[in-house]
């Protein structure tokens, strides 16, 4: 079956994250984002694709800070409340009945109930237009990364996806189908990709 190009979201499972920000006036905002990815393995950068007319972008541009909250399937019912179009002065933590989690390096609070939090400082914004539609690529530097202790294994840097149950989404013609992931108990070291069997970035994980 041949699909049109814009049907890619029906084929690529996307993570469901919640980006929390705070305005210069102190108003808390939350929005779900799935078009998000780390920028290469050595970097502490993360990229978020966004429409231009969003409160999240306004807050990030003015305060240069945001938090990417990694949600489990337990927060699936918070996607629609935080994506609803409401006035800019509405506190979306209260609207979605979510509890604030104090951040360590940024003013914007995180969200309690998630399994991990990326506190970010704005690195750069790329504004582009495609076929008449404006869009943004927001590059953030992760300045503080935290995960629940019962999910993360500090001995080898792995984590328990069965416990976290990361919230995922695949699209369809009618909307969003939510799912999660499971471990298939298959492992390969990064070094397996190189002729000498050594990972050239292994030094990053010595701390």
């Amino acid at each position: 079956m041949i699909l049109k190009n814009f049907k890619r979201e029906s084929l690529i499972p996307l993570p469901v994250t919640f980006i929390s920000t705070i305005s210069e006036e102190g108003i808390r905002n939350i929005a779900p984002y799935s078009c998000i990815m780390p920028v290469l393995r050595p970097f502490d950068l993360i990229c978020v694709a966004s429409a231009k007319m969003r409160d999240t972008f306004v807050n990030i541009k003015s305060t240069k800070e945001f938090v990417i909250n990694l949600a489990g399937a337990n927060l699936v019912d918070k996607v629609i409340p935080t994506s609803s179009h409401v006035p800019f002065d509405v506190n979306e933590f209260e609207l979605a009945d979510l509890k604030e989690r104090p951040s360590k390096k940024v003013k914007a609070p995180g969200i309690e109930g998630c399994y991990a939090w990326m506190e970010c400082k704005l690195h750069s914004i790329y504004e582009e237009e495609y076929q008449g539609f404006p869009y943004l690529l927001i590059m953030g530097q992760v300045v503080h990364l935290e995960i629940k202790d019962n999910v993360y294994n500090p001995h080898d840097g792995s984590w328990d996806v069965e416990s976290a149950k990361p919230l995922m989404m695949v699209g369809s013609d009618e909307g969003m189908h939510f799912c999660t992931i499971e471990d298939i108990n298959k492992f390969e070291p990064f070094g397996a990709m190189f002729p000498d069997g050594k990972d050239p970035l292994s030094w990053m994980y010595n701390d």
Side-chain angles (χ1 to χ4, degrees):
M1 180 179 291
I2 306 298
L3 301 178
K4 292 184 181 296
N5 293 339
F6 65 82
K7 294 270 197 172
R8 68 199 181 284
E9 289 184 8
S10 298
L11 303 178
I12 302 176
L14 298 172
V16 179
T17 71
F18 293 91
I19 296 184
S20 51
T21 57
I22 186 171
S23 71
E24 291 183 341
E25 294 75 29
I27 299 168
R28 276 70 169 155
N29 179 268
I30 304 172
Y33 276 83
S34 284
C35 293
I36 182 169
M37 62 169 286
V39 181
L40 298 180
R41 187 168 152 235
F43 301 155
D44 55 1
L45 297 176
I46 195 158
C47 178
V48 180
S50 175
K52 192 170 184 178
M53 300 304 294
R54 297 197 67 169
D55 296 342
T56 298
F57 167 61
V58 172
N59 288 344
I60 291 174
K61 189 173 182 180
S62 62
T63 66
K64 297 179 172 49
E65 295 180 345
F66 57 102
V67 180
I68 298 174
N69 303 270
L70 302 181
N74 58 305
L75 293 180
V76 65
D77 291 334
K78 304 301 182 181
V79 173
I80 297 304
T82 56
S83 62
S84 301
H85 293 278
V86 296
F88 186 73
D89 59 355
V90 171
N91 183 330
E92 295 193 58
F93 277 89
E94 295 178 356
L95 180 68
D97 193 25
L98 287 167
K99 184 178 178 182
E100 294 183 20
R101 180 181 188 274
S103 295
K104 304 294 193 303
K105 299 286 184 69
V106 300
K107 291 182 180 179
I111 300 173
E112 286 284 5
C114 292
Y115 66 84
W117 304 265
M118 297 182 185
E119 298 178 22
C120 301
K121 296 279 190 178
L122 178 62
H123 177 268
S124 54
I125 297 175
Y126 299 92
E127 299 191 34
E128 299 286 348
E129 187 175 293
Y130 182 72
Q131 296 183 351
F133 293 94
Y135 70 92
L136 306 160
L137 296 179
I138 301 169
M139 306 288 288
Q141 179 191 16
V142 181
V143 295
H144 184 77
L145 177 61
E146 194 166 340
I147 187 170
K148 283 186 173 180
D149 291 340
N150 66 330
V151 171
Y152 190 75
N153 182 353
H155 300 295
D156 64 2
S158 64
W159 55 289
D160 187 349
V161 297
E162 299 292 336
S163 295
K165 291 184 172 58
L167 183 58
M168 308 287 291
M169 182 274 291
V170 289
S172 70
D173 294 349
E174 298 179 349
M176 300 169 286
H177 296 263
F178 297 103
C179 57
T180 187
I181 61 177
E182 65 178 21
D183 194 331
I184 62 172
N185 297 313
K186 173 67 174 176
F187 171 81
E188 292 286 355
F190 289 119
M193 296 183 284
F194 300 93
D196 60 2
K198 296 180 180 179
D199 177 7
L201 298 177
S202 60
W203 59 270
M204 294 177 56
Y205 304 98
N206 292 331
D207 292 338

